[in-house]
Amino acid sequence: MEQREEIRLTIAKIIREKSETGQLMQFEELLTELAGQGLLNPEGADQRSHLEGILRQVVSENEDIKELSSKNQIPHYYSSRSLSEIYAGILVRKEENSLIAEIVRENSAIYPRPVPLNIFREPPFDLTQEEILDYLEKMGKQGEYQDIAQTTTSIGTVFLYSNRHLDATYASILAEWLDVGQANNP
Amino acid sequence: MANHGGWAGKVLRIDLSTRRISTEDTIEKYKDYLGGTGIGYKVMWDEVPTGTKPFDPANKIVFGVGPLAGTGAPCNGRTAVTTLWPTCWPKPLVASGHMGGHFAAELKYAGFDAIIIEGKADRPVWLRVVDGKAEIKDARHLWGQGIRRTTVDINQQMGPESSVAAIGQSGENLVPMSVVINSYSHSAGGIGGVMGSKNLKAIGVRGTGSVRIAENKEEWEKVVKLHLSLLGSVNQHVVPNSPQPWAEYYSPTRWLGSKGRKWGSAEPNIETGACDPHNLNRIAYRTNNAAFFLGEKAWQYTVRGNGCSSCPIRCHTILKVPSVSSKYGIRAVGQNTCAGLVFGREFFKTFPDGPRGQTAIEACMVGMSLTDDLGIWENYGQMQRDFQQLYYSGAMKNKVGEDEFKGFSWDQYEKGDPTFLFELLPRIANKQGELATALGLGTGYLLERWGISEQDWQQNQKIAYWKMGHPRHHANEDAGQCGVIINTQYNRDSQCHSHVNFTRNGLPIKVQKQLAAEIWGSPDAVDAVAAYSPMNIYKAKMAKWSLLRKELHDSLSLCNWMGPWIASPLKERNYRGENSIESLLYSLATGDKKSRDELDEVAERIFLLHRALTIRDMGTKEMRTEHDTIPDWVFIDPTGKASFTAGTNRMDREDIKLAMDMYYEEMGWDKKSGSPTVAAYQRLRLGEVADGLTNRGLVP
Ligand code: SF4
């Protein structure tokens, strides 16, 4: 087997294994891992462009291997055998300020429904209560998030929605239905 | 019979008055009605005369199971129990209750497809059924005992593998709001008092036989595997409740399994994991009904799921709450699902630590401990809604004598103290006092007894009362006009889940509409919840399909709390399920090859027989105005929002008239009266039924 082919197979394997753990593979991580295994030559600065070339080939040869870039253009890789596009999309946006707003907009548009605030405390978001409140405060001050609104159900659960897709009454009826109504109508 | 698989081949008939035990050939007499409710309605039509009352010896109880019970088909553990319904108001009519557990499979292994109970024993008895033989046994030592002790006693005699369906004190005392329960938590509501009226305490069944699969076994295995691959969580929710690595979508469904979520009272703890739908060995980790209904806190008390034979869903969550033993003197372990799980909690308006706190969970534990032993029925939460309304409106105080009223600890009740349930629930089972007796009658008879107009209840959205003594069960709040139509059709709450298992499945509305177009002919058959569009013919088709599949499941022993399986969690199938899974399973198991449409036609025959029984016993053909009625609250929005705007479930009167027109037309019934025509009966080979009704002037 040619060395280049061996590297491609190894890269696909590493990405798939990482995806099976529910995580994305970052370009830098891959670089370190392959260098550690002595699989990357040439040395130094050329390593990057060398790896970029190989990765392009890996992605084109393997239907399941996908590339995804974060807002700051850092490439991430995953296998769609274990990670869905949506899930990978959440992971890649995890560090971004806009994540909560984008998730809320998506949910308001496609299901349609408001989203309970506490979903952001669970995987894959894994935000703390403080972080969530912090995001909300920041969003409240920034013009680009003015469509994100809140509604509270009769048992005190806070839901977020985008008023681009749901009006206030509709959002509150849906939140009440999801939080209280469905459980009262088993 | 020799060539058929699926069926056991015999129906057992027990005359408790004469102690005569006989059998009849299932295929010869009942094949055209499959089993379950099909056999039940047929017996009621042929043998129970109009005017019979539920507690008369002339009433019969049919414990019916279907050709798929006891096979390897998923979710096949349902027994349909059909009789004259004691809480159907103002006149008892035919209805059925449905219990899961292991009774259905065990009955098949014992060689029977149904048990017909008739007459009345002269003293308390129980029925022992083992491998083709039945015996009527003395139950005097069991009379007065709760369901748990009765079950254990009979299990000790028959062996731990036997399944025991028993009534508690409530049924013995002829309380209409009573259940029969097998396997501790699998109940059929409304039946307890009817069994009590026959002095029948319990039925124990044990079989060592098997169910024969008539066709190619490899094909059968393939279809069973396909069916398993299409399963979601309980109620066929096909999208997980939170984002999972494998999932494209997430929604607030009952698919709660997720990385990090643990059955906290299993020893050692068990993590449910991400529950990739391709791993068929982890289906049971998807559902946790306790956590869905009681909140996050329930995870720490979860031991595991329990459920019916051959069902990997396990929707009866087992909880272990140690604090209840010392506080209330009850067992720390309890199990149930849906309405049974929250029986105790629903009486209270508030709890000291909120609606999802520890006290609410303890109220559930106390409720299960008492009601599943005393054998009380909650009528899909209507008993508790009635109770709250009557108490907080002051009506209860006026209707119950002062001394009796003072005898309850109302301060404890208002504070949300579960000990209040020890005062209330045993009195219901024992008919002690006016309040308990009235609650045990069921809503219709309670309102009549206390001089409250049914219309008062029908105007109050919060009480969720529909008609004939029973509540709504997945109506406009879940599926707009389709849900309304379905809720008009039965003589108790509709218990139909075919439509709601689709509309609540968690898929985005666009995907639901794509699937709807394939199944009912247009994406317009479904709307996003609380954003309903005007009626169209596809909604009527969906209503008809939903009702027929419900009846089909109830006759095959499949669980309509799970099926149908027209959506799946599988992205590679574009979330399609298999609309023909029932006919595939039926054909292979029985050898009686039927296409989807042919099997749906049998379901339609069964459903039509239910309609005919209702018409005959009501003595009117004016079903549209006298039976298929809709409560006023359906047409009211508390904020005054107009129908067909986003944010309301309010229906429009003219539009619902059109909905009923379209539905009757789809069924081939007369639009004006809502009654089936002679041609409709004849098309489904119910000519004799048409003749019987024609003689009484009951066909349009
Ligand atoms: S879903 Fe629940 S009720 Fe239905 S068959 Fe399975 S365990 Fe029984």
Side-chain angles (χ1 to χ4, degrees), chain B residues 25 43 89 92 138-139 209 212 230 263 310 336 365 397 412 467 488 497 519 546 549 572 574 591 622 661 674:
Chain B
D25 190 301
V43 169
W89 180 88
D138 192 345
R212 196 175 77 84
L230 304 176
W263 295 349
S310 203
N336 215 312
M365 294 298 288
K397 197 172 183 179
Q412 275 184 351
K467 61 164 182 155
T488 63
H497 296 83
I519 297 156
S546 301
R549 286 301 165 97
E572 62 271 27
N574 288 327
E622 300 307 323
D661 280 349

Side-chain angles (χ1 to χ4, degrees), chain A residues 82-84 86-87 103 107 110-113 119 122-125 155 169-170 173-174 177-179 182-186, chain B residues 243-245 247-252 254 261 293 355-356 380 472 474 477-478 504 506 508-509 529-531 646-647:
Chain A
S82 331
L83 288 191
S84 71
I86 296 256
Y87 197 85
I103 292 290
N107 276 270
I110 72 160
Y111 288 96
R113 57 143 191 264
I119 199 171
E122 291 185 44
F125 306 104
I155 61 167
T169 327
Y170 190 25
I173 292 277
L174 287 175
W177 172 242
L178 298 173
D179 197 34
Q182 285 203 19
N184 282 350
N185 292 276
Chain B
Q244 299 302 320
E248 209 183 358
Y249 304 118
Y250 54 96
S251 260
R254 298 185 191 181
R261 287 186 175 156
F293 290 109
R356 305 266 161 92
Y380 193 58
R472 77 160 177 225
H474 306 309
E477 78 286 2
D478 267 305
R504 283 198 204 178
I509 186 64
V529 74

Side-chain angles (χ1 to χ4, degrees), chain B residues 293-308:
Chain B
F293 290 109
L294 315 185
E296 204 57 31
K297 218 172 165 48
W299 282 104
Q300 76 189 74
Y301 298 128
T302 302
V303 181
R304 66 178 170 89
N306 207 350
C308 310

Side-chain angles (χ1 to χ4, degrees), chain B residues 67-98:
Chain B
L68 293 180
T71 68
C75 316
N76 75 40
R78 308 291 302 184
T79 304
V81 195
T82 307
T83 192
L84 285 173
W85 213 248
T87 56
C88 176
W89 180 88
K91 191 177 186 184
L93 297 165
V94 70
S96 60
H98 308 264

